[in-house]
Amino acid sequence: MGTIVSYPEVCANAGCIRGKYESGRIKPYEAFYGIPFAEPPVGKLRLENPVPYSGWQGYWDATYPREDCLQKNYFLPNAPIKGSEDCLYLNVYRPSTWSRKKKLPVLVYIHGGAYLGFSGNPDQFGPEYLMDNGEVFLVTITYRLGVFGFLSSGGDGVVKGNFGLKDQQLALEWIFNNIESFGGDSGAITLSGQSVGAVSCNLHMLNSKSSAYFHRVILLSDTALTPHIRYTQDFATQYRMVAKIAGIVDWETASTSDLAYQLKRVDGLSLVSIDELFVFLFTPTVPLGPCIEGDWDGAFLTESPYVLWAEGRFSQKPIFAGHVKDEGAIRNQSMNLTTQNLHR
């Protein structure tokens, strides 16, 4: 007889899901990889607000991670291009040693990477240390990066921007609505992130819809008030610059809506490289990031975070703030390289 393979299974509001048992570092855990929370943001859905996933028949195969979001990762040697536009998935981890007699608190992690690179997938942010604790669920999410996640045509609302943040918000909504089926406590969700992941967490505190989906916040190495996020930069000029980089002939004269039509038809690999948006190496550190939108449906951020925070117009939640080891090492090294190049 062949070996009988068993899988952890969950039937949540979104549908039934089949995961995988992992041996772990010290203690085993259950992993549910690559669960879709949004429709693939491709074709007509590129450069649009995310659309909730329409569902599936039978059991979703959550035994393997899906691809990272398409990116050119300037933080790695030779800035490799990797990933796919079809990338809006999340990973749920729970300890196998959990007694199932009580719901466990949930930690949701948003990865950093200057809104340009990295991922919530296990090869970069695995759950092993937290699963050894045996007292918490972990959920890691992906969101659109670079041009795909943060391009904006400016104040006209044609390409609204903040798509990566809206992806995160939709993932938070999915977690809130489904995590109890896994055994997690939807009344005890902590939102955490590092670098621009922490910026994102802080911005979700300033958004009334997002803030309903979590209860505590851990900010590592950044906040929404960081000086390297320029919410009011000239996004309209940047929009046309991206069109130029992508090879659109009439990038200077076409309307923003016509450029959006053309940008949705450009090969993704032509959009992922944004070298010309860097004035110097890693300066600005976040060349494509959050913007202040107009007051239209689905807007994520319509006022300056500085004003909202100063006036106390945000969800008051317990916050733990700190920094990681070797804070600023990448930026320090990049500035050293820039100085060396200027003196050659």
Side-chain angles (χ1 to χ4, degrees):
M1 296 178 61
T3 302
I4 298 176
V5 178
S6 61
Y7 301 91
E9 295 179 344
V10 167
C11 284
N13 293 329
C16 292
I17 303 159
R18 180 174 291 122
K20 182 180 181 181
Y21 290 110
E22 298 283 15
S23 58
R25 192 180 69 97
I26 297 175
K27 296 181 180 180
Y29 61 91
E30 300 169 15
F32 299 86
Y33 299 115
I35 304 172
F37 62 86
E39 290 292 319
V42 299
K44 292 181 179 180
L45 294 183
R46 179 192 277 176
L47 303 179
E48 298 287 348
N49 291 347
V51 176
Y53 196 75
S54 57
W56 58 84
Q57 298 295 320
Y59 277 84
W60 180 265
D61 184 0
T63 61
Y64 66 97
R66 270 51 176 189
E67 287 193 75
D68 297 348
C69 286
L70 186 58
Q71 60 189 263
K72 183 172 184 179
N73 196 331
Y74 294 87
F75 295 98
L76 297 177
N78 302 315
I81 294 175
K82 61 179 294 189
S84 168
E85 286 187 74
D86 179 3
C87 65
L88 297 185
Y89 301 88
L90 54 82
N91 307 303
V92 178
Y93 305 99
R94 66 184 184 186
S96 295
T97 55
W98 166 50
S99 68
R100 303 176 192 266
K101 293 181 181 180
K102 64 176 182 178
K103 298 174 184 176
L104 291 185
V106 181
L107 179 67
V108 179
Y109 182 78
I110 301 177
H111 71 85
Y115 292 127
L116 291 172
F118 298 118
S119 169
N121 276 333
D123 59 334
Q124 297 170 40
F125 296 100
E128 289 82 1
Y129 284 90
L130 288 171
M131 293 300 100
D132 287 346
N133 173 273
E135 293 294 330
V136 66
F137 282 24
L138 173 67
V139 185
T140 61
I141 66 177
T142 56
Y143 55 94
R144 281 174 284 180
L145 303 168
V147 169
F148 307 100
F150 293 94
L151 187 65
S152 169
S153 61
D156 62 4
V158 171
V159 174
K160 297 177 174 62
N162 292 335
F163 305 119
L165 293 169
K166 295 166 185 175
D167 295 342
Q168 296 171 12
Q169 183 181 74
L170 188 56
L172 289 174
E173 182 178 3
W174 191 100
I175 295 163
F176 184 82
N177 290 332
N178 289 276
I179 201 63
E180 296 242 347
S181 299
F182 291 82
D185 187 350
S186 64
I189 296 176
T190 298
L191 184 60
S192 64
Q194 185 265 334
S195 189
V196 296
V199 173
S200 299
C201 293
N202 207 174
L203 288 172
H204 287 296
M205 292 179 65
L206 304 178
N207 183 286
S208 59
K209 180 178 180 180
S210 290
S211 60
Y213 301 137
F214 59 93
H215 309 88
R216 306 173 192 84
V217 183
I218 299 174
L219 305 179
L220 296 173
S221 309
D222 233 331
T223 75
L225 308 183
T226 182
H228 58 258
I229 302 291
R230 300 176 300 165
Y231 300 98
T232 58
Q233 65 175 297
D234 188 355
F235 287 95
T237 297
Q238 186 183 71
Y239 180 71
R240 291 191 180 275
M241 177 63 72
V242 169
K244 177 184 178 182
I245 295 170
I248 295 176
V249 175
D250 54 348
W251 63 273
E252 288 184 287
T253 57
S255 67
T256 53
S257 58
D258 185 52
L259 288 179
Y261 177 86
Q262 296 186 67
L263 285 168
K264 290 181 180 183
R265 284 153 180 79
V266 172
D267 181 75
L269 293 178
S270 298
L271 288 177
V272 74
S273 178
I274 60 169
D275 297 351
E276 290 151 280
L277 297 182
F278 285 99
V279 179
F280 298 109
L281 183 61
F282 292 122
T283 306
T285 49
V286 185
L288 281 157
C291 66
I292 297 175
E293 299 178 64
D295 190 18
W296 46 65
D297 287 344
F300 183 89
L301 184 67
T302 59
E303 294 183 72
S304 165
Y306 294 91
V307 173
L308 292 170
W309 195 265
E311 297 180 356
R313 290 188 287 125
F314 59 92
S315 179
Q316 304 284 339
K317 298 178 185 292
I319 300 177
F320 177 90
H323 60 84
V324 298
K325 183 181 178 182
D326 298 325
E327 179 65 43
I330 291 179
R331 181 166 176 80
N332 182 63
Q333 180 62 20
S334 71
M335 294 305 293
N336 288 338
L337 290 173
T338 300
T339 301
Q340 291 172 18
N341 290 333
L342 289 173
H343 285 87
R344 285 178 180 173

